[in-house]
Amino acid sequence: SGATPVAMSKSTRRGANEKERTKELDSKVIMEFGGPIGVSAIMICSPLLMYYFFVCLEKYGGALQYPGISVAGESFQQFIVRMFQDVKQLAYPTEYGFKIYTYFMIFQAVIAIIFPGPIIQGLPIPSQNFRKLDYNCNGISCWYFTCAVAFILHRFGYFDLVDVIDNLGPIMTWSIFWGNLITLITYVMAFVCGATHRMSGSFLYDVFMGAWLNPRIGPLDLKMWAEIRIPWVLLFFVSLSAALKQLRETNSITAPMAFMVLAHFLYVNACHKGEECIPTTWDIFYEKWGYMLIFWNLSGVPFLYCHASHYISKTNPMPETYWVILMYVLLLVGYYIWDTANSQKNRFRMKRNNTFLDRKTFPQLPWGTLEDPSYITTEQGGLLLTGGWWGIARKIHYTADLMMAFSWGGITGSPYAVVTGNGSFIPYFYLLFFICVLTHRVSRDMERCAEKYGKDWDRYCKEVPYIFVPGIF
Ligand code: NDP
């Protein structure tokens, strides 16, 4: 109120300039993943790789297959035919597989629409005049409701949960089908509805990255729905199904199998309990809904991340006790850091924006909310947290996520066991894949933040010099 007209017009101008710059950054096309050729390779190879690992686990006890390994004197061509026949036999798109996947998907969409939940505003969308969308974050009630329905269906004989692991191949095939079909429909509909954004002009690249930023069907935000309601819930049910099968067959559940149920429960539960933090993430506010998100959410995550559970279900490995204990500790410590680091940053931002929601969703861990932390105020207007975990390393939550990823593979046997032929590499694939995903994300994010915050970002990097592990890297 005490500002002079000159000062006011200066700050209005600075605000307008800032908005223009944000708009420019948001609409800038950056060719990633090797451009059209790279993304085409990803789109072709992803399902092939999924089928390959699936067959190795389902039929060959996790042994990587190559010409001659299981059939003496086999040529490359014969190997391809063998793999194709295995896929046809084990992952045929059956009607039952269709029903399981499709009904599950529709069920998740219906409850996402009808259940009430806290309404959270997303970030201002630069390409839509900085409008903010409302998100109904009813994830936690939908998640508990899904568990209750699954229990009732299983307990009273309407649907045997063991059928999930027994029909993993067909279900995966239908997920691939839906992932591709929904990608194409969304791409076409973006043009029909005039909702295209940040288009590169290359058909293949735009199909991969998407054409539509925030597709919605009525109140259903498709990106939010696909982000956690399908992948993580399905992943959990794959592991639960494998555990129930083991219980039925052996009357007990081994420590590695229980580990996978716990690991996937913690992950899916965390995604839902903190769902109000998702609307402000990169995937929701920046990425478009294309193959990359659609396929990975509907198909890639559940069927590439479930390898350890699938492997345990097929081979029942039993690593040494000390190693199992170590993996449990790694999982729980990793989870604690991951949960609290994400929550510290998100709650800090929400508090400063007056959008903080004091939720009591289970579990609320100590140090999940920081009282009066240190931070940097940037010229751009954003705040960079330098307290809590965020003063220790810039991407400590990625390190924690990788600790969990290691434990998911590790519970099936140590890397030494894999190298000496007493274990399978496949459960470790998630870790390797995830390292690639996260390092790519880090470099992309650092570039973006350096551009967005300029010298304030340099100041932040100086204050918090380490990225992943304090004192080392
Ligand atoms: P981040 O949570 O790291 O978010 C990055 C953004 O946070 C930056 O662009 C910046 O945005 C803001 N930011 C960065 N540093 C600070 C700081 N010090 N203080 C305040 N804000 C800051 O990235 P993701 O969205 O990639 O990851 C979220 C979680 O999801 C992670 O734990 C990750 O491990 C997990 N994840 C899991 C995947 C899986 O498949 N399992 C895949 C990808 C992620 P701004 O412009 O707002 O400043």
Side-chain angles (χ1 to χ4, degrees), residues 392-407:
I392 295 174
R394 275 177 267 152
K395 290 288 179 189
I396 193 113
H397 56 330
Y398 281 6
T399 312
D401 219 341
L402 290 171
M403 284 163 71
M404 290 195 282
F406 180 89
S407 74

Side-chain angles (χ1 to χ4, degrees), residues 338 345 349 395 397-398 401 441 445 448 452-453:
W338 180 70
K345 183 187 77 170
R349 284 255 170 118
K395 290 288 179 189
H397 56 330
Y398 281 6
D401 219 341
R441 268 189 180 232
D445 193 48
R448 195 185 133 269
K452 180 173 173 184
Y453 295 117

Side-chain angles (χ1 to χ4, degrees), residues 24-38:
E24 218 174 277
L25 273 181
D26 180 69
S27 56
K28 192 166 146 189
V29 178
I30 307 162
M31 284 282 183
E32 294 179 87
F33 304 102
I37 297 177

Side-chain angles (χ1 to χ4, degrees), residues 24-58:
E24 218 174 277
L25 273 181
D26 180 69
S27 56
K28 192 166 146 189
V29 178
I30 307 162
M31 284 282 183
E32 294 179 87
F33 304 102
I37 297 177
V39 299
S40 306
I42 295 175
M43 288 191 278
I44 293 167
C45 293
S46 302
L48 295 181
L49 199 66
M50 286 164 67
Y51 278 126
Y52 174 71
F53 286 140
F54 170 76
V55 166
C56 294
L57 288 166
E58 185 69 17

Side-chain angles (χ1 to χ4, degrees), residues 123 232 267 281-282 285 301 305 338 342 345 348-349 383-386 390 394-395 397-398 401 430 434 437-438 441 445 448-449 452-453 457 460:
L123 292 175
W232 301 105
Y267 215 102
T281 62
W282 177 255
F285 84 84
V301 169
Y305 292 10
W338 180 70
N342 277 313
K345 183 187 77 170
F348 161 73
R349 284 255 170 118
L383 306 176
L384 293 169
L385 182 61
T386 53
W390 298 83
R394 275 177 267 152
K395 290 288 179 189
H397 56 330
Y398 281 6
D401 219 341
Y430 166 57
F434 204 37
V437 170
L438 292 187
R441 268 189 180 232
D445 193 48
R448 195 185 133 269
C449 288
K452 180 173 173 184
Y453 295 117
W457 184 254
Y460 169 59

